[in-house]
Amino acid sequence: MEEVLRHVYGVPPLFRTVPVPPPAMSAAGAAIVRYLNTTDAGIATDIDRILDTAEDLHRRRTRR
């Protein structure tokens, strides 16, 4: 999970010798969303807005 957060915030990865493949990064991110959605009622209630915001932030970040 730390590798995913490092990637999201643009921090250098911990494991430079073994790159984390994009599908693994996506799967880990999806696991985080599933966990939060099932354990936090506030997130579950507002999940559509949260995911829309995350998508917008991702688009802005990858436009650079």
Side-chain angles (χ1 to χ4, degrees):
M1 294 302 158
E2 182 172 350
E3 248 353 90
V4 172
L5 294 173
R6 288 172 154 293
H7 179 76
V8 167
Y9 287 103
V11 176
L14 288 175
F15 306 107
R16 293 182 187 272
T17 56
V18 181
V20 178
M25 196 64 71
S26 290
I32 292 168
V33 170
R34 276 192 307 275
Y35 172 79
L36 291 172
N37 191 44
T38 58
T39 60
D40 187 320
I43 288 178
T45 301
D46 207 17
I47 192 69
D48 288 334
R49 185 190 64 74
I50 291 168
L51 291 176
D52 287 344
T53 300
E55 186 176 0
D56 183 51
L57 290 170
H58 173 73
R59 278 195 199 112
R60 282 194 241 164
R61 184 174 175 271
T62 56
R63 262 190 243 153
R64 296 181 203 178

